[in-house]
């Protein structure tokens, strides 16, 4: 879409250029301030995008888009997890978990060039990822707050072979977030394994940077690696650091900062791999797929609750 004049640019709701509008006009992003959609707009709180039911003008560089609150939240949620099953976003668009509002909202994002839908064996199991333009919208409208880590946003697929596994991380998060919220907790952000592995590699290679004689091998001994893992509160055993699929950072009911590491366990987790995952101390989830068989296309009636086939392994 081309940049264009909109009469809303002239009133107090103007979204204008991201550097010109009043930052934080929709709240300061604290748990007590943001309570959109039952207080679950975890990822939308990191960006200054519309939160109401009506679409508003959003600008990114020379392009303009129109988004409402649910579409903004969906955009941020997909970006936070990189890849998500399309029908897992029904809660974002409709708290009754009906599929039609989600399909309509995702279609609008796709037609706007912000989202890509990747078909699987049946349409109700399609996954969605952000395009580069979708991530650019989030970055251009990011809310900057002191003393708070940024939520990372991703676009496109990075590990196509692990698509099915990675698309289930969001559902495991939903299950964990529900438990945390029931205990009075509020999620602040999610850190995916990409980011944790990047930090680990930076630590391993820190002494090699700028050295012409470097072989590229990690310049760290096992004791240093174990100490780093301990500082990051990551398990270290069998001679290596174990990294979860995602880390959930949250405030508990007493506003203490804590985190919970989650891992999606599939049928392929066997033998030493399964034993290592159990020993890690991560919260493990086995995500069922059988509930995808009906409810998503045309036949009427309410689709089954996606959480009905999930299993929390501890």
């Amino acid at each position: 879409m081309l940049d264009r004049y909109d009469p809303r640019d002239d009133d107090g709701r103007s979204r204008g250029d991201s550097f010109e509008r009043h930052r934080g006009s929709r709240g300061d992003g604290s748990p007590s301030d943001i309570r959109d959609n039952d207080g679950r707009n975890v990822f939308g709180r990191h960006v200054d995008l519309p939160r109401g039911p009506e679409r508003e003008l959003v600008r990114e560089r020379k392009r303009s888009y129109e988004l409402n609150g649910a579409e903004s939240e969906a955009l941020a949620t997909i970006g936070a997890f990189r890849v998500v099953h399309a029908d897992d976003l029904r809660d974002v668009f409709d708290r009754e978990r009906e599929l039609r509002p989600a399909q309509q909202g995702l279609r609008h994002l796709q037609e706007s060039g912000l989202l890509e839908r990747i078909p699987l064996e049946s349409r109700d199991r399609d996954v969605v990822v952000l395009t580069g333009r979708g991530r650019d919208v989030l970055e251009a409208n990011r809310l900057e707050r002191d003393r708070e880590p940024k939520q990372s946003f991703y676009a496109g697929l990075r590990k196509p072979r692990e698509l099915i596994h990675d698309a289930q991380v969001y559902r495991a998060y939903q299950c964990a977030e529900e438990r945390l919220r029931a205990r009075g907790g509020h999620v602040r952000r999610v850190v995916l394994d990409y980011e944790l592995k990047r930090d680990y590699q930076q630590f391993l290679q820190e002494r090699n940077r700028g050295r012409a004689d470097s072989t590229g091998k990690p310049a760290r001994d096992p004791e240093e690696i174990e100490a780093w893992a301990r500082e990051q509160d990551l398990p270290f055993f069998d001679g290596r650091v174990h990294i979860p699929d995602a880390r959930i950072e949250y405030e508990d009911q007493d506003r203490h900062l804590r985190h919970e590491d989650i891992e999606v366990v599939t049928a392929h987790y066997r033998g030493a791999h399964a034993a290592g995952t159990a020993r890690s101390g991560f919260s493990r989830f086995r995500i069922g797929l059988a509930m995808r068989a009906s409810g998503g296309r045309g036949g009427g009636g309410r689709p089954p609750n996606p959480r009905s086939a999930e299993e929390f392994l501890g």
Side-chain angles (χ1 to χ4, degrees), residues 15-36:
R15 307 209 57 81
D17 186 87
S18 61
F19 293 99
E20 295 176 355
R21 68 175 181 276
H22 174 62
R23 304 299 291 178
S25 60
R26 297 180 181 273
D28 64 8
S30 65
S32 60
D33 178 65
I34 291 186
R35 282 293 171 268
D36 321 54

Side-chain angles (χ1 to χ4, degrees), residues 122-258:
S122 60
R123 183 164 178 78
D124 59 347
R125 291 188 59 188
D126 290 355
V127 298
V128 289
V129 299
L130 295 189
T131 62
R133 285 165 59 178
R135 182 174 58 184
D136 288 345
V137 167
L138 297 175
E139 294 295 346
N141 293 278
R142 183 184 285 278
L143 281 170
E144 301 290 348
R145 287 187 291 272
D146 294 336
R147 300 184 302 279
E148 181 166 347
K150 291 182 178 180
Q151 173 63 57
S152 294
F153 296 118
Y154 302 90
L157 283 179
R158 182 172 178 178
K159 300 182 290 185
R161 289 186 176 183
E162 299 180 29
L163 174 62
I164 301 301
H165 172 275
D166 290 352
Q168 297 179 56
V169 174
Y170 176 59
R171 199 176 309 163
Y173 159 81
Q174 288 178 301
C175 196
E177 188 274 338
E178 201 168 78
R179 287 190 298 103
L180 293 172
R181 184 161 32 85
R183 301 200 301 258
H186 299 291
V187 175
R188 307 299 286 166
R189 70 164 183 160
V190 165
V191 181
L192 296 188
D193 59 348
Y194 307 103
E195 193 168 346
L196 295 170
K197 290 175 181 177
R198 180 202 64 195
D199 292 346
Y200 180 41
Q201 289 301 315
Q202 288 177 345
F203 162 75
L204 291 177
Q205 297 293 338
E206 185 176 11
R207 294 172 183 166
N208 290 331
R209 292 195 192 96
R211 291 183 53 182
D213 61 341
S214 172
T215 63
K217 293 182 179 180
R220 299 287 185 176
D221 59 42
E223 290 76 18
E224 290 178 302
I225 294 174
E226 184 175 5
W228 180 89
R230 190 162 47 247
E231 290 174 0
Q232 307 303 315
D233 199 20
L234 291 169
F236 179 87
F237 56 87
D238 295 336
R240 67 186 185 91
V241 178
H242 295 258
I243 293 177
D245 287 326
R247 168 167 286 183
I248 303 172
E249 296 181 355
Y250 68 98
E251 287 184 2
D252 65 16
Q253 61 181 355
D254 299 318
R255 299 184 70 87
H256 296 142
L257 293 176
R258 303 187 182 279

Side-chain angles (χ1 to χ4, degrees), residues 235 237-238 240 242 261 263-265 269-286 313-314:
F237 56 87
D238 295 336
R240 67 186 185 91
H242 295 258
D261 293 337
E263 181 84 7
V264 171
V265 177
Y269 281 52
R270 298 175 181 175
H273 192 184
T277 301
R279 184 180 171 188
S280 68
F282 302 152
S283 296
R284 295 170 297 134
F285 296 85
R286 180 178 290 122
L313 303 178

Side-chain angles (χ1 to χ4, degrees), residues 50 54-56 58 65-69 71-72 75 109 114:
E54 302 298 324
R55 287 189 176 127
E56 301 179 39
V58 174
Y65 307 92
E66 289 191 349
L67 302 174
N68 60 27
E71 291 159 353
S72 299
L75 203 67
L109 292 175
L114 304 177

Side-chain angles (χ1 to χ4, degrees), residues 281-302:
F282 302 152
S283 296
R284 295 170 297 134
F285 296 85
R286 180 178 290 122
I287 308 297
L289 298 174
M291 70 287 195
R292 302 294 183 187
S294 63
R297 304 179 69 183
R302 184 167 170 173

